[in-house]
Amino acid sequence: GTVDQRVLLNSNLCKHFHLEVLRCRNDFVCTSIDRVPYVTMTITKLTEADRTAVEGYPEEPDEHSAGFLTNFRTCVLEDHGEIFVIKEEEILGYLAYSYGDYGENTCGMYFIHVRQDRRNQGLGTQLAAAYAREKLLQGVIPFYENAVNEASERTALKAGFVCCREEYRAEACRR
């Protein structure tokens, strides 16, 4: 009875719709420092004194981030995490993470951003590698969350992370 009705319903739906499965995001984890490349750039952590530099950061609008100033408030001013930065005269890119996202002795990187004019130069990989290396040396398991595009996935893999979760979304489209 019930199974046959579901099969009939699904076959009728298939005549009018097709299902499109889209990958939404991947999460990555790093458990071995041997996988992490050495960091060759100077990377520092932001403190409360860096507020002016943060306010001057030319962040492009992004649907996946609350923005650099909000991340700075949450991580640094409210002490929910930390932010690594690469800077010369100004900030070129940053990585924000918070503590305990996956349990005790874990942290989760939830946003990484490199200025548009400095992309494809390895800055993101250096930020992610510095984060992974420091956390592993502290006995903390680092996660790289929400890789929503191929560039972010490549950064995670180059920095020594491995995929631990894939998330998909399905959309029914009328034929």
Side-chain angles (χ1 to χ4, degrees):
T2 308
V3 173
D4 293 336
Q5 289 173 351
R6 280 192 222 145
V7 170
L8 180 60
L9 177 64
N10 286 338
S11 65
N12 284 335
L13 283 173
C14 290
K15 292 178 187 174
H16 303 288
F17 295 93
H18 74 278
L19 194 62
E20 189 172 333
V21 178
L22 306 168
R23 186 176 53 173
C24 289
R25 67 187 189 108
N26 288 344
D27 289 348
F28 295 81
V29 65
C30 188
T31 58
S32 171
I33 201 158
D34 295 333
R35 297 180 53 88
V36 181
Y38 286 101
V39 177
T40 58
M41 304 178 99
T42 302
I43 296 175
T44 59
K45 289 183 192 171
L46 292 181
T47 67
E48 290 182 29
D50 294 309
R51 186 180 192 107
T52 304
V54 170
E55 290 171 347
Y57 186 75
E59 185 172 27
E60 298 87 14
D62 189 311
E63 65 187 274
H64 304 290
S65 172
F68 192 22
L69 191 54
T70 301
N71 287 330
F72 177 74
R73 265 190 234 110
T74 302
C75 289
V76 179
L77 301 180
E78 297 171 10
D79 198 31
H80 293 289
E82 295 179 312
I83 297 179
F84 282 104
V85 294
I86 294 177
K87 61 181 172 178
E88 291 172 351
E89 293 84 41
E90 56 192 11
I91 295 172
L92 305 178
Y94 74 95
L95 179 147
Y97 68 92
S98 59
Y99 307 113
D101 290 0
Y102 293 90
E104 193 174 327
N105 293 324
T106 68
C107 57
M109 187 279 317
Y110 61 88
F111 198 72
I112 186 169
H113 187 271
V114 174
R115 286 178 25 171
Q116 191 72 34
D117 61 331
R118 297 303 295 265
R119 292 191 179 162
N120 298 312
Q121 298 175 23
L123 276 69
T125 300
Q126 288 286 292
L127 284 164
Y131 157 69
R133 188 168 283 285
E134 178 180 288
K135 295 300 130 194
L136 288 169
L137 288 172
Q138 292 173 349
V140 175
I141 299 171
F143 285 84
Y144 185 112
E145 303 176 73
N146 302 318
V148 295
N149 57 45
E150 288 181 24
S152 189
E153 290 175 7
R154 281 193 308 273
T155 297
L157 293 170
K158 286 180 191 176
F161 290 80
V162 293
C163 188
C164 62
R165 183 176 85 152
E166 295 179 331
E167 187 174 302
Y168 294 87
R169 160 176 64 97
E171 291 182 1
C173 303
R174 191 172 283 283
R175 290 186 188 254

